[in-house]
PDB file of all heavy atoms in Angstrom:
ATOM      1  N   LEU A   1     -73.878  32.387  66.320  1.00 98.00           N
ATOM      2  CA  LEU A   1     -74.381  33.613  66.950  1.00 98.00           C
ATOM      3  C   LEU A   1     -75.263  34.366  65.963  1.00 98.00           C
ATOM      4  O   LEU A   1     -74.975  34.410  64.764  1.00 98.00           O
ATOM      5  CB  LEU A   1     -73.229  34.508  67.397  1.00 98.00           C
ATOM      6  CG  LEU A   1     -72.194  33.876  68.333  1.00 98.00           C
ATOM      7  CD1 LEU A   1     -71.162  34.933  68.738  1.00 98.00           C
ATOM      8  CD2 LEU A   1     -72.850  33.259  69.540  1.00 98.00           C
ATOM      9  N   SER A   2     -76.296  34.961  66.507  1.00 97.00           N
ATOM     10  CA  SER A   2     -77.213  35.749  65.688  1.00 97.00           C
ATOM     11  C   SER A   2     -77.375  37.134  66.291  1.00 97.00           C
ATOM     12  O   SER A   2     -77.378  37.288  67.518  1.00 97.00           O
ATOM     13  CB  SER A   2     -78.571  35.063  65.615  1.00 97.00           C
ATOM     14  OG  SER A   2     -79.487  35.834  64.865  1.00 97.00           O
ATOM     15  N   CYS A   3     -77.496  38.130  65.437  1.00 96.00           N
ATOM     16  CA  CYS A   3     -77.683  39.517  65.875  1.00 96.00           C
ATOM     17  C   CYS A   3     -78.847  40.091  65.077  1.00 96.00           C
ATOM     18  O   CYS A   3     -78.745  40.213  63.847  1.00 96.00           O
ATOM     19  CB  CYS A   3     -76.411  40.304  65.633  1.00 96.00           C
ATOM     20  SG  CYS A   3     -76.563  42.071  65.929  1.00 96.00           S
ATOM     21  N   ALA A   4     -79.912  40.412  65.767  1.00 95.00           N
ATOM     22  CA  ALA A   4     -81.116  40.893  65.105  1.00 95.00           C
ATOM     23  C   ALA A   4     -81.321  42.371  65.372  1.00 95.00           C
ATOM     24  O   ALA A   4     -81.150  42.840  66.514  1.00 95.00           O
ATOM     25  CB  ALA A   4     -82.326  40.106  65.594  1.00 95.00           C
ATOM     26  N   THR A   5     -81.695  43.113  64.353  1.00 93.00           N
ATOM     27  CA  THR A   5     -81.991  44.532  64.501  1.00 93.00           C
ATOM     28  C   THR A   5     -83.376  44.824  63.929  1.00 93.00           C
ATOM     29  O   THR A   5     -83.936  44.006  63.199  1.00 93.00           O
ATOM     30  CB  THR A   5     -80.957  45.393  63.777  1.00 93.00           C
ATOM     31  OG1 THR A   5     -81.169  45.271  62.368  1.00 93.00           O
ATOM     32  CG2 THR A   5     -79.541  44.978  64.110  1.00 93.00           C
ATOM     33  N   SER A   6     -83.882  45.994  64.233  1.00 90.00           N
ATOM     34  CA  SER A   6     -85.186  46.403  63.730  1.00 90.00           C
ATOM     35  C   SER A   6     -85.053  47.355  62.553  1.00 90.00           C
ATOM     36  O   SER A   6     -86.036  47.963  62.129  1.00 90.00           O
ATOM     37  CB  SER A   6     -85.992  47.070  64.850  1.00 90.00           C
ATOM     38  OG  SER A   6     -85.305  48.196  65.342  1.00 90.00           O
ATOM     39  N   PHE A   7     -83.844  47.458  62.007  1.00 88.00           N
ATOM     40  CA  PHE A   7     -83.605  48.417  60.948  1.00 88.00           C
ATOM     41  C   PHE A   7     -82.535  47.866  60.002  1.00 88.00           C
ATOM     42  O   PHE A   7     -81.760  46.980  60.357  1.00 88.00           O
ATOM     43  CB  PHE A   7     -83.135  49.746  61.535  1.00 88.00           C
ATOM     44  CG  PHE A   7     -82.009  49.601  62.527  1.00 88.00           C
ATOM     45  CD1 PHE A   7     -80.687  49.580  62.095  1.00 88.00           C
ATOM     46  CD2 PHE A   7     -82.251  49.460  63.888  1.00 88.00           C
ATOM     47  CE1 PHE A   7     -79.650  49.431  62.996  1.00 88.00           C
ATOM     48  CE2 PHE A   7     -81.223  49.316  64.801  1.00 88.00           C
ATOM     49  CZ  PHE A   7     -79.910  49.291  64.356  1.00 88.00           C
ATOM     50  N   ARG A   8     -82.489  48.421  58.808  1.00 90.00           N
ATOM     51  CA  ARG A   8     -81.448  48.039  57.869  1.00 90.00           C
ATOM     52  C   ARG A   8     -80.151  48.739  58.246  1.00 90.00           C
ATOM     53  O   ARG A   8     -80.162  49.885  58.691  1.00 90.00           O
ATOM     54  CB  ARG A   8     -81.867  48.422  56.450  1.00 90.00           C
ATOM     55  CG  ARG A   8     -83.124  47.708  55.989  1.00 90.00           C
ATOM     56  CD  ARG A   8     -83.405  47.977  54.535  1.00 90.00           C
ATOM     57  NE  ARG A   8     -82.405  47.326  53.682  1.00 90.00           N
ATOM     58  CZ  ARG A   8     -82.452  47.312  52.360  1.00 90.00           C
ATOM     59  NH1 ARG A   8     -83.448  47.931  51.744  1.00 90.00           N
ATOM     60  NH2 ARG A   8     -81.532  46.703  51.656  1.00 90.00           N
ATOM     61  N   PHE A   9     -79.061  48.021  58.092  1.00 92.00           N
ATOM     62  CA  PHE A   9     -77.776  48.577  58.477  1.00 92.00           C
ATOM     63  C   PHE A   9     -76.785  48.420  57.332  1.00 92.00           C
ATOM     64  O   PHE A   9     -77.032  47.672  56.383  1.00 92.00           O
ATOM     65  CB  PHE A   9     -77.243  47.900  59.742  1.00 92.00           C
ATOM     66  CG  PHE A   9     -77.261  46.393  59.690  1.00 92.00           C
ATOM     67  CD1 PHE A   9     -76.204  45.691  59.132  1.00 92.00           C
ATOM     68  CD2 PHE A   9     -78.341  45.688  60.200  1.00 92.00           C
ATOM     69  CE1 PHE A   9     -76.227  44.301  59.078  1.00 92.00           C
ATOM     70  CE2 PHE A   9     -78.380  44.307  60.155  1.00 92.00           C
ATOM     71  CZ  PHE A   9     -77.327  43.607  59.589  1.00 92.00           C
ATOM     72  N   ASN A  10     -75.677  49.126  57.424  1.00 94.00           N
ATOM     73  CA  ASN A  10     -74.617  49.039  56.425  1.00 94.00           C
ATOM     74  C   ASN A  10     -73.626  47.961  56.846  1.00 94.00           C
ATOM     75  O   ASN A  10     -73.960  46.801  56.894  1.00 94.00           O
ATOM     76  CB  ASN A  10     -73.964  50.401  56.220  1.00 94.00           C
ATOM     77  CG  ASN A  10     -74.975  51.458  55.827  1.00 94.00           C
ATOM     78  OD1 ASN A  10     -75.089  52.509  56.431  1.00 94.00           O
ATOM     79  ND2 ASN A  10     -75.751  51.178  54.795  1.00 94.00           N
ATOM     80  N   THR A  11     -72.428  48.359  57.228  1.00 96.00           N
ATOM     81  CA  THR A  11     -71.429  47.408  57.677  1.00 96.00           C
ATOM     82  C   THR A  11     -71.787  46.848  59.051  1.00 96.00           C
ATOM     83  O   THR A  11     -72.349  47.563  59.888  1.00 96.00           O
ATOM     84  CB  THR A  11     -70.045  48.072  57.734  1.00 96.00           C
ATOM     85  OG1 THR A  11     -69.709  48.544  56.445  1.00 96.00           O
ATOM     86  CG2 THR A  11     -68.987  47.104  58.218  1.00 96.00           C
ATOM     87  N   ALA A  12     -71.490  45.586  59.251  1.00 97.00           N
ATOM     88  CA  ALA A  12     -71.717  44.951  60.548  1.00 97.00           C
ATOM     89  C   ALA A  12     -70.477  44.162  60.933  1.00 97.00           C
ATOM     90  O   ALA A  12     -69.690  43.748  60.073  1.00 97.00           O
ATOM     91  CB  ALA A  12     -72.926  44.029  60.494  1.00 97.00           C
ATOM     92  N   GLY A  13     -70.332  43.973  62.212  1.00 97.00           N
ATOM     93  CA  GLY A  13     -69.169  43.217  62.671  1.00 97.00           C
ATOM     94  C   GLY A  13     -69.441  42.528  63.986  1.00 97.00           C
ATOM     95  O   GLY A  13     -70.385  42.854  64.706  1.00 97.00           O
ATOM     96  N   TRP A  14     -68.593  41.535  64.261  1.00 98.00           N
ATOM     97  CA  TRP A  14     -68.594  40.847  65.550  1.00 98.00           C
ATOM     98  C   TRP A  14     -67.269  41.132  66.239  1.00 98.00           C
ATOM     99  O   TRP A  14     -66.208  41.026  65.611  1.00 98.00           O
ATOM    100  CB  TRP A  14     -68.778  39.344  65.372  1.00 98.00           C
ATOM    101  CG  TRP A  14     -70.161  38.939  65.016  1.00 98.00           C
ATOM    102  CD1 TRP A  14     -70.660  38.727  63.778  1.00 98.00           C
ATOM    103  CD2 TRP A  14     -71.237  38.709  65.919  1.00 98.00           C
ATOM    104  NE1 TRP A  14     -71.986  38.376  63.846  1.00 98.00           N
ATOM    105  CE2 TRP A  14     -72.365  38.347  65.160  1.00 98.00           C
ATOM    106  CE3 TRP A  14     -71.370  38.759  67.315  1.00 98.00           C
ATOM    107  CZ2 TRP A  14     -73.599  38.047  65.741  1.00 98.00           C
ATOM    108  CZ3 TRP A  14     -72.595  38.446  67.886  1.00 98.00           C
ATOM    109  CH2 TRP A  14     -73.692  38.101  67.097  1.00 98.00           C
ATOM    110  N   TYR A  15     -67.353  41.489  67.504  1.00 98.00           N
ATOM    111  CA  TYR A  15     -66.196  41.722  68.344  1.00 98.00           C
ATOM    112  C   TYR A  15     -66.263  40.743  69.515  1.00 98.00           C
ATOM    113  O   TYR A  15     -67.308  40.175  69.803  1.00 98.00           O
ATOM    114  CB  TYR A  15     -66.207  43.150  68.909  1.00 98.00           C
ATOM    115  CG  TYR A  15     -65.982  44.242  67.895  1.00 98.00           C
ATOM    116  CD1 TYR A  15     -66.961  44.568  66.953  1.00 98.00           C
ATOM    117  CD2 TYR A  15     -64.797  44.979  67.888  1.00 98.00           C
ATOM    118  CE1 TYR A  15     -66.757  45.580  66.029  1.00 98.00           C
ATOM    119  CE2 TYR A  15     -64.584  45.997  66.973  1.00 98.00           C
ATOM    120  CZ  TYR A  15     -65.569  46.300  66.057  1.00 98.00           C
ATOM    121  OH  TYR A  15     -65.366  47.316  65.142  1.00 98.00           O
ATOM    122  N   ARG A  16     -65.143  40.577  70.190  1.00 98.00           N
ATOM    123  CA  ARG A  16     -65.160  39.753  71.389  1.00 98.00           C
ATOM    124  C   ARG A  16     -64.207  40.338  72.423  1.00 98.00           C
ATOM    125  O   ARG A  16     -63.237  41.020  72.075  1.00 98.00           O
ATOM    126  CB  ARG A  16     -64.770  38.305  71.094  1.00 98.00           C
ATOM    127  CG  ARG A  16     -63.349  38.105  70.610  1.00 98.00           C
ATOM    128  CD  ARG A  16     -63.132  36.651  70.193  1.00 98.00           C
ATOM    129  NE  ARG A  16     -61.780  36.408  69.709  1.00 98.00           N
ATOM    130  CZ  ARG A  16     -61.373  35.267  69.174  1.00 98.00           C
ATOM    131  NH1 ARG A  16     -62.213  34.238  69.059  1.00 98.00           N
ATOM    132  NH2 ARG A  16     -60.121  35.126  68.750  1.00 98.00           N
ATOM    133  N   GLN A  17     -64.503  40.073  73.684  1.00 98.00           N
ATOM    134  CA  GLN A  17     -63.657  40.542  74.771  1.00 98.00           C
ATOM    135  C   GLN A  17     -63.521  39.445  75.804  1.00 98.00           C
ATOM    136  O   GLN A  17     -64.522  39.021  76.406  1.00 98.00           O
ATOM    137  CB  GLN A  17     -64.239  41.808  75.408  1.00 98.00           C
ATOM    138  CG  GLN A  17     -63.310  42.443  76.426  1.00 98.00           C
ATOM    139  CD  GLN A  17     -63.727  43.844  76.786  1.00 98.00           C
ATOM    140  OE1 GLN A  17     -64.866  44.265  76.568  1.00 98.00           O
ATOM    141  NE2 GLN A  17     -62.801  44.615  77.319  1.00 98.00           N
ATOM    142  N   ALA A  18     -62.296  38.992  75.980  1.00 96.00           N
ATOM    143  CA  ALA A  18     -61.998  37.986  76.984  1.00 96.00           C
ATOM    144  C   ALA A  18     -61.622  38.683  78.291  1.00 96.00           C
ATOM    145  O   ALA A  18     -61.194  39.849  78.266  1.00 96.00           O
ATOM    146  CB  ALA A  18     -60.863  37.087  76.507  1.00 96.00           C
ATOM    147  N   PRO A  19     -61.753  38.011  79.413  1.00 92.00           N
ATOM    148  CA  PRO A  19     -61.419  38.633  80.706  1.00 92.00           C
ATOM    149  C   PRO A  19     -59.988  39.159  80.719  1.00 92.00           C
ATOM    150  O   PRO A  19     -59.052  38.452  80.334  1.00 92.00           O
ATOM    151  CB  PRO A  19     -61.591  37.480  81.696  1.00 92.00           C
ATOM    152  CG  PRO A  19     -62.583  36.580  81.058  1.00 92.00           C
ATOM    153  CD  PRO A  19     -62.292  36.661  79.581  1.00 92.00           C
ATOM    154  N   GLY A  20     -59.835  40.410  81.132  1.00 94.00           N
ATOM    155  CA  GLY A  20     -58.523  41.013  81.228  1.00 94.00           C
ATOM    156  C   GLY A  20     -57.909  41.443  79.914  1.00 94.00           C
ATOM    157  O   GLY A  20     -56.753  41.884  79.877  1.00 94.00           O
ATOM    158  N   LYS A  21     -58.662  41.326  78.825  1.00 96.00           N
ATOM    159  CA  LYS A  21     -58.136  41.699  77.516  1.00 96.00           C
ATOM    160  C   LYS A  21     -58.980  42.787  76.884  1.00 96.00           C
ATOM    161  O   LYS A  21     -60.129  43.010  77.262  1.00 96.00           O
ATOM    162  CB  LYS A  21     -58.079  40.473  76.601  1.00 96.00           C
ATOM    163  CG  LYS A  21     -57.105  39.401  77.065  1.00 96.00           C
ATOM    164  CD  LYS A  21     -56.971  38.304  76.027  1.00 96.00           C
ATOM    165  CE  LYS A  21     -55.940  37.278  76.457  1.00 96.00           C
ATOM    166  NZ  LYS A  21     -55.769  36.206  75.417  1.00 96.00           N
ATOM    167  N   GLN A  22     -58.400  43.441  75.881  1.00 97.00           N
ATOM    168  CA  GLN A  22     -59.144  44.465  75.163  1.00 97.00           C
ATOM    169  C   GLN A  22     -60.129  43.833  74.187  1.00 97.00           C
ATOM    170  O   GLN A  22     -59.954  42.687  73.756  1.00 97.00           O
ATOM    171  CB  GLN A  22     -58.169  45.367  74.393  1.00 97.00           C
ATOM    172  CG  GLN A  22     -57.324  46.256  75.283  1.00 97.00           C
ATOM    173  CD  GLN A  22     -56.494  47.245  74.485  1.00 97.00           C
ATOM    174  OE1 GLN A  22     -56.096  46.971  73.349  1.00 97.00           O
ATOM    175  NE2 GLN A  22     -56.244  48.418  75.064  1.00 97.00           N
ATOM    176  N   ARG A  23     -61.149  44.598  73.851  1.00 97.00           N
ATOM    177  CA  ARG A  23     -62.104  44.126  72.869  1.00 97.00           C
ATOM    178  C   ARG A  23     -61.399  43.973  71.524  1.00 97.00           C
ATOM    179  O   ARG A  23     -60.641  44.830  71.107  1.00 97.00           O
ATOM    180  CB  ARG A  23     -63.285  45.094  72.752  1.00 97.00           C
ATOM    181  CG  ARG A  23     -64.451  44.556  71.944  1.00 97.00           C
ATOM    182  CD  ARG A  23     -65.664  45.445  72.060  1.00 97.00           C
ATOM    183  NE  ARG A  23     -66.193  45.438  73.425  1.00 97.00           N
ATOM    184  CZ  ARG A  23     -67.360  45.994  73.775  1.00 97.00           C
ATOM    185  NH1 ARG A  23     -68.109  46.574  72.831  1.00 97.00           N
ATOM    186  NH2 ARG A  23     -67.761  45.967  75.021  1.00 97.00           N
ATOM    187  N   GLU A  24     -61.705  42.874  70.846  1.00 97.00           N
ATOM    188  CA  GLU A  24     -61.029  42.514  69.599  1.00 97.00           C
ATOM    189  C   GLU A  24     -62.045  42.382  68.471  1.00 97.00           C
ATOM    190  O   GLU A  24     -63.102  41.765  68.648  1.00 97.00           O
ATOM    191  CB  GLU A  24     -60.289  41.186  69.810  1.00 97.00           C
ATOM    192  CG  GLU A  24     -59.682  40.580  68.571  1.00 97.00           C
ATOM    193  CD  GLU A  24     -59.132  39.189  68.810  1.00 97.00           C
ATOM    194  OE1 GLU A  24     -59.818  38.371  69.452  1.00 97.00           O
ATOM    195  OE2 GLU A  24     -58.010  38.901  68.328  1.00 97.00           O
ATOM    196  N   LEU A  25     -61.696  42.929  67.302  1.00 98.00           N
ATOM    197  CA  LEU A  25     -62.539  42.761  66.130  1.00 98.00           C
ATOM    198  C   LEU A  25     -62.330  41.352  65.582  1.00 98.00           C
ATOM    199  O   LEU A  25     -61.214  40.965  65.278  1.00 98.00           O
ATOM    200  CB  LEU A  25     -62.201  43.805  65.077  1.00 98.00           C
ATOM    201  CG  LEU A  25     -62.929  43.691  63.737  1.00 98.00           C
ATOM    202  CD1 LEU A  25     -64.427  43.818  63.931  1.00 98.00           C
ATOM    203  CD2 LEU A  25     -62.411  44.744  62.772  1.00 98.00           C
ATOM    204  N   VAL A  26     -63.416  40.607  65.413  1.00 98.00           N
ATOM    205  CA  VAL A  26     -63.344  39.230  64.947  1.00 98.00           C
ATOM    206  C   VAL A  26     -63.630  39.134  63.458  1.00 98.00           C
ATOM    207  O   VAL A  26     -62.888  38.483  62.716  1.00 98.00           O
ATOM    208  CB  VAL A  26     -64.336  38.345  65.729  1.00 98.00           C
ATOM    209  CG1 VAL A  26     -64.328  36.917  65.183  1.00 98.00           C
ATOM    210  CG2 VAL A  26     -64.009  38.357  67.209  1.00 98.00           C
ATOM    211  N   ALA A  27     -64.711  39.775  63.013  1.00 98.00           N
ATOM    212  CA  ALA A  27     -65.108  39.669  61.608  1.00 98.00           C
ATOM    213  C   ALA A  27     -66.002  40.838  61.246  1.00 98.00           C
ATOM    214  O   ALA A  27     -66.706  41.373  62.105  1.00 98.00           O
ATOM    215  CB  ALA A  27     -65.841  38.350  61.358  1.00 98.00           C
ATOM    216  N   THR A  28     -65.978  41.203  59.961  1.00 98.00           N
ATOM    217  CA  THR A  28     -66.856  42.255  59.469  1.00 98.00           C
ATOM    218  C   THR A  28     -67.485  41.812  58.147  1.00 98.00           C
ATOM    219  O   THR A  28     -66.948  40.945  57.448  1.00 98.00           O
ATOM    220  CB  THR A  28     -66.107  43.572  59.231  1.00 98.00           C
ATOM    221  OG1 THR A  28     -65.142  43.375  58.191  1.00 98.00           O
ATOM    222  CG2 THR A  28     -65.415  44.057  60.497  1.00 98.00           C
ATOM    223  N   ILE A  29     -68.592  42.453  57.825  1.00 98.00           N
ATOM    224  CA  ILE A  29     -69.250  42.200  56.540  1.00 98.00           C
ATOM    225  C   ILE A  29     -69.868  43.499  56.054  1.00 98.00           C
ATOM    226  O   ILE A  29     -70.499  44.231  56.822  1.00 98.00           O
ATOM    227  CB  ILE A  29     -70.299  41.073  56.652  1.00 98.00           C
ATOM    228  CG1 ILE A  29     -70.864  40.717  55.274  1.00 98.00           C
ATOM    229  CG2 ILE A  29     -71.415  41.444  57.633  1.00 98.00           C
ATOM    230  CD1 ILE A  29     -71.625  39.404  55.259  1.00 98.00           C
ATOM    231  N   THR A  30     -69.671  43.798  54.781  1.00 96.00           N
ATOM    232  CA  THR A  30     -70.210  45.017  54.203  1.00 96.00           C
ATOM    233  C   THR A  30     -71.610  44.771  53.649  1.00 96.00           C
ATOM    234  O   THR A  30     -72.100  43.652  53.628  1.00 96.00           O
ATOM    235  CB  THR A  30     -69.317  45.521  53.067  1.00 96.00           C
ATOM    236  OG1 THR A  30     -69.391  44.564  51.985  1.00 96.00           O
ATOM    237  CG2 THR A  30     -67.871  45.678  53.516  1.00 96.00           C
ATOM    238  N   THR A  31     -72.214  45.849  53.190  1.00 93.00           N
ATOM    239  CA  THR A  31     -73.540  45.746  52.593  1.00 93.00           C
ATOM    240  C   THR A  31     -73.519  44.783  51.406  1.00 93.00           C
ATOM    241  O   THR A  31     -74.470  44.021  51.188  1.00 93.00           O
ATOM    242  CB  THR A  31     -74.027  47.124  52.137  1.00 93.00           C
ATOM    243  OG1 THR A  31     -74.007  48.016  53.254  1.00 93.00           O
ATOM    244  CG2 THR A  31     -75.428  47.052  51.586  1.00 93.00           C
ATOM    245  N   GLY A  32     -72.434  44.804  50.670  1.00 92.00           N
ATOM    246  CA  GLY A  32     -72.313  43.949  49.491  1.00 92.00           C
ATOM    247  C   GLY A  32     -71.847  42.542  49.779  1.00 92.00           C
ATOM    248  O   GLY A  32     -71.724  41.739  48.853  1.00 92.00           O
ATOM    249  N   GLY A  33     -71.568  42.249  51.060  1.00 94.00           N
ATOM    250  CA  GLY A  33     -71.186  40.891  51.423  1.00 94.00           C
ATOM    251  C   GLY A  33     -69.701  40.622  51.497  1.00 94.00           C
ATOM    252  O   GLY A  33     -69.284  39.469  51.696  1.00 94.00           O
ATOM    253  N   MET A  34     -68.877  41.651  51.355  1.00 97.00           N
ATOM    254  CA  MET A  34     -67.424  41.451  51.498  1.00 97.00           C
ATOM    255  C   MET A  34     -67.100  41.249  52.969  1.00 97.00           C
ATOM    256  O   MET A  34     -67.633  41.948  53.834  1.00 97.00           O
ATOM    257  CB  MET A  34     -66.660  42.633  50.933  1.00 97.00           C
ATOM    258  CG  MET A  34     -66.805  42.785  49.426  1.00 97.00           C
ATOM    259  SD  MET A  34     -65.798  44.135  48.775  1.00 97.00           S
ATOM    260  CE  MET A  34     -64.153  43.527  49.154  1.00 97.00           C
ATOM    261  N   THR A  35     -66.211  40.300  53.246  1.00 98.00           N
ATOM    262  CA  THR A  35     -65.924  39.931  54.629  1.00 98.00           C
ATOM    263  C   THR A  35     -64.443  40.063  54.957  1.00 98.00           C
ATOM    264  O   THR A  35     -63.584  39.972  54.079  1.00 98.00           O
ATOM    265  CB  THR A  35     -66.359  38.484  54.905  1.00 98.00           C
ATOM    266  OG1 THR A  35     -65.661  37.607  54.011  1.00 98.00           O
ATOM    267  CG2 THR A  35     -67.855  38.312  54.711  1.00 98.00           C
ATOM    268  N   THR A  36     -64.162  40.290  56.229  1.00 98.00           N
ATOM    269  CA  THR A  36     -62.795  40.276  56.749  1.00 98.00           C
ATOM    270  C   THR A  36     -62.809  39.503  58.057  1.00 98.00           C
ATOM    271  O   THR A  36     -63.835  39.457  58.752  1.00 98.00           O
ATOM    272  CB  THR A  36     -62.240  41.680  56.999  1.00 98.00           C
ATOM    273  OG1 THR A  36     -62.998  42.305  58.041  1.00 98.00           O
ATOM    274  CG2 THR A  36     -62.300  42.552  55.752  1.00 98.00           C
ATOM    275  N   TYR A  37     -61.664  38.916  58.389  1.00 98.00           N
ATOM    276  CA  TYR A  37     -61.540  38.128  59.620  1.00 98.00           C
ATOM    277  C   TYR A  37     -60.192  38.391  60.277  1.00 98.00           C
ATOM    278  O   TYR A  37     -59.184  38.601  59.592  1.00 98.00           O
ATOM    279  CB  TYR A  37     -61.641  36.630  59.322  1.00 98.00           C
ATOM    280  CG  TYR A  37     -62.946  36.197  58.702  1.00 98.00           C
ATOM    281  CD1 TYR A  37     -63.100  36.147  57.321  1.00 98.00           C
ATOM    282  CD2 TYR A  37     -64.023  35.845  59.501  1.00 98.00           C
ATOM    283  CE1 TYR A  37     -64.288  35.764  56.743  1.00 98.00           C
ATOM    284  CE2 TYR A  37     -65.229  35.446  58.931  1.00 98.00           C
ATOM    285  CZ  TYR A  37     -65.346  35.409  57.556  1.00 98.00           C
ATOM    286  OH  TYR A  37     -66.542  35.018  56.995  1.00 98.00           O
ATOM    287  N   VAL A  38     -60.183  38.316  61.591  1.00 98.00           N
ATOM    288  CA  VAL A  38     -58.902  38.324  62.290  1.00 98.00           C
ATOM    289  C   VAL A  38     -58.217  36.989  61.999  1.00 98.00           C
ATOM    290  O   VAL A  38     -58.882  35.957  61.808  1.00 98.00           O
ATOM    291  CB  VAL A  38     -59.118  38.536  63.812  1.00 98.00           C
ATOM    292  CG1 VAL A  38     -59.846  37.355  64.430  1.00 98.00           C
ATOM    293  CG2 VAL A  38     -57.813  38.827  64.511  1.00 98.00           C
ATOM    294  N   ASP A  39     -56.903  36.997  61.944  1.00 98.00           N
ATOM    295  CA  ASP A  39     -56.166  35.795  61.535  1.00 98.00           C
ATOM    296  C   ASP A  39     -56.506  34.564  62.381  1.00 98.00           C
ATOM    297  O   ASP A  39     -56.561  33.448  61.871  1.00 98.00           O
ATOM    298  CB  ASP A  39     -54.654  36.059  61.597  1.00 98.00           C
ATOM    299  CG  ASP A  39     -54.172  36.934  60.455  1.00 98.00           C
ATOM    300  OD1 ASP A  39     -54.926  37.125  59.482  1.00 98.00           O
ATOM    301  OD2 ASP A  39     -53.037  37.431  60.534  1.00 98.00           O
ATOM    302  N   SER A  40     -56.732  34.766  63.650  1.00 97.00           N
ATOM    303  CA  SER A  40     -56.923  33.627  64.553  1.00 97.00           C
ATOM    304  C   SER A  40     -58.212  32.836  64.295  1.00 97.00           C
ATOM    305  O   SER A  40     -58.354  31.721  64.797  1.00 97.00           O
ATOM    306  CB  SER A  40     -56.897  34.095  66.001  1.00 97.00           C
ATOM    307  OG  SER A  40     -57.927  35.042  66.234  1.00 97.00           O
ATOM    308  N   VAL A  41     -59.142  33.402  63.528  1.00 98.00           N
ATOM    309  CA  VAL A  41     -60.405  32.692  63.264  1.00 98.00           C
ATOM    310  C   VAL A  41     -60.582  32.326  61.801  1.00 98.00           C
ATOM    311  O   VAL A  41     -61.570  31.676  61.439  1.00 98.00           O
ATOM    312  CB  VAL A  41     -61.631  33.503  63.747  1.00 98.00           C
ATOM    313  CG1 VAL A  41     -61.457  33.930  65.200  1.00 98.00           C
ATOM    314  CG2 VAL A  41     -61.900  34.705  62.846  1.00 98.00           C
ATOM    315  N   LYS A  42     -59.663  32.720  60.959  1.00 98.00           N
ATOM    316  CA  LYS A  42     -59.783  32.423  59.529  1.00 98.00           C
ATOM    317  C   LYS A  42     -59.864  30.922  59.299  1.00 98.00           C
ATOM    318  O   LYS A  42     -59.099  30.149  59.873  1.00 98.00           O
ATOM    319  CB  LYS A  42     -58.602  33.015  58.770  1.00 98.00           C
ATOM    320  CG  LYS A  42     -58.673  34.517  58.598  1.00 98.00           C
ATOM    321  CD  LYS A  42     -57.472  35.055  57.806  1.00 98.00           C
ATOM    322  CE  LYS A  42     -57.564  36.561  57.633  1.00 98.00           C
ATOM    323  NZ  LYS A  42     -56.384  37.112  56.913  1.00 98.00           N
TER     324      LYS A  42
END
């Protein structure tokens, strides 16, 4: 997956929402490149 913007940003993340479920945080990345992941995708 790719996410393109027209501006510089700080922290970014990917979320997902399955039918009938709440939106879930999948992964994040900071300006410096530090990352976090939900356990199910690690």
Side-chain angles (χ1 to χ4, degrees):
L1 305 183
S2 178
C3 173
T5 72
S6 59
F7 49 87
R8 298 187 69 175
F9 50 86
N10 303 126
T11 301
W14 286 95
Y15 291 71
R16 65 187 180 187
Q17 187 166 19
K21 295 187 177 182
Q22 290 187 330
R23 191 170 294 189
E24 173 188 45
L25 175 61
V26 176
T28 64
I29 186 165
T30 67
T31 303
M34 294 184 64
T35 59
T36 65
Y37 299 92
V38 66
D39 286 346
S40 60
V41 308
K42 285 181 180 178

